[in-house]
Amino acid sequence: MTGGVRTVIYPVKDLGRAKALFRALLGTEPYADEAYYVGFKDAGQDIGLDPNGHARGMTGPAPYWHVDDIRARLAALREAGAEVLQDVQDVGGGKLIAFVKDADGNLLGLTEDPASTTAS
C-alpha cells in the first residue's frame, strides 16, 4: 500500500509566470521559493513547480505517490516495465524522490519522506 498521491509536480518553462498563476489559483504564497523549485501547500496537497522538469523528461504534471520504501517500489515498477527517468535522489533533509514513465508515456513519481521510514 501507499500513502496516496499528495504531491503533484509541474514542469514549467517560466518559473515566475507559473508562480504567479499558482499564487492566483491557490490564494497563498509558496512555502518554498527557490530558483530550482517553488512549492505550494493547499488542502493537504503539495504542488511543485520544477523549471528543470522538461529537461529531465517531464512532458506534463507528474503525480507523486508517497511510499515507505522507495527503492523497493522503484524496483517493482522497473520489473513491471516502467522506464526510470530519474533514479532515487535525495532532495534535501532525507526526502527521496524518483520518477518513471509507463508504457503509455504516463509519468509516475515516487517520494519517501524521512519521517515515514523506521530505523533498523
Side-chain angles (χ1 to χ4, degrees):
M1 295 188 60
T2 72
V5 173
R6 296 186 310 240
T7 303
V8 177
I9 305 295
Y10 291 82
V12 299
K13 293 180 181 170
D14 184 327
L15 192 57
R17 288 180 66 181
K19 182 170 51 173
L21 182 127
F22 276 88
R23 189 182 288 133
L25 172 67
L26 302 173
T28 188
E29 293 298 316
Y31 72 87
D33 192 353
E34 303 294 336
Y36 58 88
Y37 181 82
V38 172
F40 292 88
K41 289 194 183 293
D42 184 64
Q45 291 287 311
D46 194 355
I47 307 299
L49 309 176
D50 183 352
N52 300 307
H54 292 288
R56 291 193 337 246
M58 294 179 76
T59 56
Y64 275 71
W65 293 84
H66 290 247
V67 299
D68 289 333
D69 185 343
I70 195 169
R71 287 177 177 80
R73 196 57 61 111
L74 185 59
L77 288 170
R78 186 181 285 137
E79 188 171 312
E83 175 188 349
V84 176
L85 296 177
Q86 179 182 313
D87 207 345
V88 177
Q89 175 183 0
D90 188 323
V91 293
K95 182 181 180 84
L96 304 176
I97 64 168
F99 75 95
V100 302
K101 180 169 59 171
D102 71 10
D104 294 305
N106 299 305
L107 299 177
L108 301 169
L110 301 174
T111 185
E112 178 183 317
D113 295 314
S116 71
T117 59
T118 56
S120 304

